């Protein structure tokens, strides 16, 4: 049902944990399935220099959180805002249709963290 990449990111999540003094924080949830995801970012010169996550949810939610941190780190904020929901699923070699909402959460949480960064900077 899940790809090897999904299972690897679930069993060995990258960049997991709360970040001290983040520049931006984005939290999103899906009341239907109960998943809750928070992305933390540090930004320097418009580049995401550090990123982490905390996720309460299913294995797919944890895997997508882990994957989006790997995709986004080192990208400019403009590049990171272009990461789509499908990009996350594709990087994980696909998700079952009933779990696609998890990649939606990951992309939405990243965008929320970037929006929060912009709000705090202005």
């Amino acid at each position: 049902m899940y790809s090897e990449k999904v299972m690897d990111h679930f069993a060995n999540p990258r960049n997991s944990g709360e970040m001290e003094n983040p520049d931006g924080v984005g939290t999103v949830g899906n009341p239907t399935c109960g998943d809750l995801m928070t992305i933390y970012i540090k930004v320097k010169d418009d580049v995401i220099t550090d990123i982490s996550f905390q996720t309460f949810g299913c294995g797919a939610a944890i895997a997508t959180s882990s994957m989006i941190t790997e995709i986004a780190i080192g990208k400019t904020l403009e590049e990171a805002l272009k990461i789509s929901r499908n990009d996350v699923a594709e990087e994980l070699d696909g998700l079952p249709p009933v779990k696609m909402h998890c990649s939606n959460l990951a992309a939405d949480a990243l965008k929320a963290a970037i929006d929060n960064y912009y709000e705090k900077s202005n």
Side-chain angles (χ1 to χ4, degrees):
M1 181 165 159
Y2 290 116
S3 71
E4 281 185 36
K5 276 190 179 178
V6 171
M7 295 305 293
D8 181 43
H9 277 268
F10 167 64
N12 308 292
R14 281 62 150 186
N15 308 303
S16 171
E18 187 172 358
M19 178 184 290
E20 283 192 34
N21 304 312
D23 296 321
V25 179
T27 300
V28 297
N30 184 325
T32 305
C33 65
D35 292 339
L36 182 65
M37 189 178 294
T38 300
I39 300 280
Y40 305 91
I41 58 172
K42 288 209 185 238
V43 179
K44 182 171 178 155
D45 299 326
D46 262 4
V47 173
I48 296 174
T49 58
D50 196 11
I51 185 168
S52 66
F53 75 92
Q54 284 187 305
T55 295
F56 302 96
C58 66
I62 292 166
T64 58
S65 301
S66 174
M67 179 53 80
I68 202 154
T69 66
E70 289 206 321
I71 297 170
I73 195 156
K75 291 202 175 349
T76 65
L77 296 174
E78 187 177 322
E79 291 168 333
L81 283 170
K82 292 178 184 173
I83 298 170
S84 74
R85 298 165 169 185
N86 285 336
D87 292 337
V88 179
E90 285 175 17
E91 285 293 323
L92 287 167
D93 295 334
L95 287 170
V98 297
K99 293 296 181 179
M100 279 302 290
H101 66 275
C102 296
S103 66
N104 295 354
L105 282 180
D108 292 349
L110 176 61
K111 286 175 180 45
I114 293 169
D115 288 346
N116 179 252
Y117 167 76
Y118 282 133
E119 288 169 17
K120 288 164 81 173
S121 329
N122 291 336

